[in-house]
Amino acid sequence: MAGSAILILLAVIGGALIAAQGPIFARLAGSVGGTLPAALLSFTIGTCALISLILVTGAPFPKLADMRAAPPWVWAGGLIGAYQVMLSITAVPKIGVLAFLTAVIAGQLMAAIAYDQLGAFGLAVRALTLTKMVGIALLIGGLALIVWER
């Protein structure tokens, strides 16, 4: 249980950092001339950080044979990241961090229902319980309240 609590705490911290990304990316876009240059710089910095971590920790670089053996859909992760960065640069200044992230979370929850029910992407199948449905309904209701206030 302690391991799960630590992971949940780290996820909460990750969520707080994600909330900071939109404003940071938007400010970067204003400084460097737009959405695409900002996204490129963001991914370049992230790539450099990951290469540095690999070198410091001694973790292996990906092997070409392993990359070729991976299912084609795994490459979508980077594209999804690029989409999210560019969307946050555009959306956060217009609708705010709270509305943007609430909408993102609502989308994540709706997709998570399907992913868990189907065991998508090789995950274990997890049942959707009444308690989970009520929780999701409350979160989506919260989204409606946040967006409606505008």
Side-chain angles (χ1 to χ4, degrees), residues 21-58:
Q21 280 185 312
I24 290 169
F25 292 149
R27 176 65 183 197
L28 179 61
S31 298
V32 300
T35 301
L36 290 174
L40 176 63
L41 284 172
S42 174
F43 278 93
T44 300
I45 292 165
T47 299
C48 290
L50 290 171
I51 290 171
S52 297
L53 281 171
I54 285 175
L55 293 173
V56 167
T57 63

Side-chain angles (χ1 to χ4, degrees), residues 82-146:
Y83 167 84
Q84 277 303 118
V85 168
M86 291 188 300
L87 178 62
S88 71
I89 291 169
T90 304
V92 166
K94 292 181 172 121
I95 66 172
V97 178
L98 182 60
F100 175 74
L101 283 180
T102 305
V104 168
I105 292 166
Q108 289 173 330
L109 291 171
M110 290 184 274
I113 292 168
Y115 300 156
D116 275 351
Q117 289 290 320
L118 300 171
F121 310 114
L123 298 171
V125 173
R126 289 184 171 84
L128 179 63
T129 64
L130 179 60
T131 304
K132 290 177 185 175
M133 288 189 287
V134 170
I136 291 166
L138 289 170
L139 287 164
I140 292 171
L143 169 62
L145 291 173
I146 288 166

